[in-house]
Amino acid sequence: MREMEETQTYSVLQNVTYLYKKMWREGPKHIISFVLRAIADMLLPLLTSATIALIISIVSGNQSWNQAQLIFYALLALTAVCMIISETMSNYENSGGNMFRVSNMMGLSRKLLYLPFQKLEQPENISKLQKAGEPTQNNNGAFQKIFTVSYHFLRDSLGLLIYGYLIGQLHPLIIAVITIFSLLMYGYSLGTNRLSESIRRQQAPLSKKTKYLVDHTGDFKAVKDMRLFHMESWFEDEFQRIYAARFSLMSQLVKRQFKGTLLSSLFGMIRDALAYWLLINQVIDGSLSVASFSFYIGIIASISQWTNGLFIDLADFRHLSSEVQDYRDFMELDLVQSTGDRKTDDLSLPIDIEFRQVCYRYPNADRDTIHDLNLKITAGEKVGLVGVNGAGKTTIIMMLCGLYQPTSGEILINGIPQQEFDQDSYLDLFSAVFQDYFELPITIEETIQQAKTKYSLSYEEAVEQAGMAEILAKLPLGGKTPLVKRVHPKAVDLSGGQKQRLQLARALYKQSPVLILDEPTAALDPIAENEIYLAYNAISQNKTSLFISHRLSSTRFCDRIVYLENGSIYEEGSHQELLAKKGKYADMYQVQSQYYQEEWEGKVNDSITTA
């Protein structure tokens, strides 16, 4: 039975450090950019206040121009340098943050590509994937916002230290008031961030539904049903319902943020009134010059900004940390399956397969899908797996291919336990064609050649044997014809039979020792299906083959047919032997053959009537 992977919880500091390490590995310039910008923007208010104070001192006659002009020009030059640095680094921050976010989005995609299939299907991992993607989706996600928050934090920290020292020399009461108000705003910001995090989690399923609706309104396959069955109103209603729910959630956050703005403004008015009162009194009693008054007024406004900002930054780091935790929860899922390092190169062909007391139970299921399965498939044998839906046919195939790991029991390949083989080498043993066909936006030739292994035929041989040569001859670009019209304007939409031929060509090209067909022709009519299965039968010579089909007539050519029920073998034998037993296989075959006979007779009668 599979075990749940423990999720490690990290502190805010650990998650933020994790981001900085990734930024540094990608390029130190990422960190250097926001450090330079923070220093420049922290100095600008100080330089501006000093310049204004110097001008007032000169105008009031307290200082001569000749004595002050060097300082004046130095202040202007430093201000210009800081402004250039700030603007340049701000532009880089936008582009660098976007590149960093996209880089981690690609890292998430790579993890997804190599995550064991069995883990990818688990509901808890699907949820982890959904949460992990959110920090990389837009510029408000952790991987881009970390640039802005880090810049603010460094600017505010340096500003608080330097400006606080200067203000402390003037009057400690101002520092005390600013600190108290900032702590109150910090507490309010924590509550705002908690609400934001709660809303983010509530919006996750709504975002998933929105993506589904957007994807399917532009899906060519869905358009026909939408038009014919007037589904447009349903889509519109769903859009309205989902967006109303999202708007309701966002309005809660907007209202709280608005209240925070009002509270901050109130605190600012009280702070400024106190500062003005203290400074004006010192000017009146002569202990403070007008120039100094101007200088301190400027830095008091700035220190309040730094102090308020610092506590907001700390709250923002906590929010970013929760997003990074979600990302790491998925990225730290173990990629390694319990496989060995044995290669399949020295295996004798064709392959011998044995399921020995194999059980498989899906996560959270109350009973086994496959129970105590004992099945021996001899080298070169063609075996058909049949049965009603849910009998366990596809699950058996998934275990054989190594995509699922048995709950108990073992699968032997030429007498060797499956777990002893290297995974990549093991997968080379199988050419599989599944019912669900996935097209990549690449050419037909590239689609076939995706399957290259050490066993591969030439491309030309695969195309010829699969009956694709005639199809390609009718296409202007031949094998260079791209697929998926949504991506390529010159792409083609293949018919059901042509898609099966393409999959057949890919299976032929791979030329693996084991051929697996998991109901690949379910969407075809019986005649077209029969033609495809005859083609598969022809290429299955000297291979160990497994065929799954609901239509029992398609598996008549198999050496042995295994009828499954409730995850166990109910009957097995050749087609004729099972018919002679007059069991469930025979009953199912009789029902299907009667249906096809009636369908055929109906077509004949229709043609006679028309004539």
Side-chain angles (χ1 to χ4, degrees), residues 156-225:
D156 297 342
S157 300
L158 292 174
L160 181 60
L161 289 173
I162 295 173
Y163 289 45
Y165 173 78
L166 294 172
I167 294 295
Q169 302 299 310
L170 178 65
H171 202 296
L173 181 59
I174 299 176
I175 293 293
V177 170
I178 290 174
T179 302
I180 291 171
F181 286 168
S182 296
L183 285 171
L184 291 174
M185 286 305 301
Y186 173 64
Y188 192 89
S189 296
L190 284 179
T192 301
N193 281 345
R194 282 194 294 269
L195 177 61
S196 176
E197 177 63 17
S198 172
I199 288 173
R200 183 176 74 87
R201 294 187 180 279
Q202 291 179 67
Q203 281 201 341
L206 295 176
S207 299
K208 186 177 180 180
K209 291 177 182 178
T210 302
K211 185 178 185 304
Y212 173 87
L213 293 174
V214 171
D215 288 346
H216 282 78
T217 50
D219 186 351
F220 291 147
K221 294 179 180 178
V223 167
K224 298 188 292 295
D225 285 345

Side-chain angles (χ1 to χ4, degrees), residues 386-440:
V386 300
V388 298
N389 285 335
K393 304 182 295 295
T394 298
T395 304
I396 290 173
I397 296 301
M398 300 295 269
M399 286 192 292
L400 176 60
C401 291
L403 300 177
Y404 290 169
Q405 298 299 310
T407 305
S408 62
E410 60 180 350
I411 299 173
L412 306 175
I413 304 296
N414 283 8
I416 303 168
Q418 181 188 52
Q419 288 78 9
E420 293 186 13
F421 292 101
D422 169 76
Q423 186 181 17
D424 290 337
S425 179
Y426 182 79
L427 290 175
D428 286 345
L429 294 175
F430 304 98
S431 287
V433 180
F434 297 104
Q435 179 178 347
D436 297 326
Y437 170 59
F438 174 66
E439 285 185 341
L440 287 174

Side-chain angles (χ1 to χ4, degrees), residues 571-583:
E571 295 176 339
E572 62 179 314
S574 67
H575 175 69
Q576 295 300 329
E577 288 172 346
L578 291 177
L579 288 181
K581 285 184 179 180
K582 297 183 179 181

Side-chain angles (χ1 to χ4, degrees), residues 13-30:
L13 180 60
Q14 287 174 318
N15 281 328
V16 172
T17 302
Y18 170 81
L19 284 176
Y20 288 146
K21 285 181 178 179
K22 288 178 74 70
M23 291 168 72
W24 186 263
R25 285 196 298 269
E26 202 164 291
K29 58 186 179 181
H30 287 329

Side-chain angles (χ1 to χ4, degrees), residues 61-101:
N62 293 333
Q63 197 167 358
S64 69
W65 170 247
N66 290 333
Q67 294 175 332
Q69 62 178 323
L70 183 61
I71 298 175
F72 178 77
Y73 289 131
L75 288 172
L76 288 182
L78 282 173
T79 301
V81 169
C82 287
M83 290 178 68
I84 292 171
I85 290 174
S86 175
E87 189 65 27
T88 303
M89 293 301 102
S90 176
N91 291 332
Y92 176 80
E93 182 183 302
N94 291 330
S95 60
N98 189 58
M99 288 188 294
F100 183 63
R101 175 179 63 81

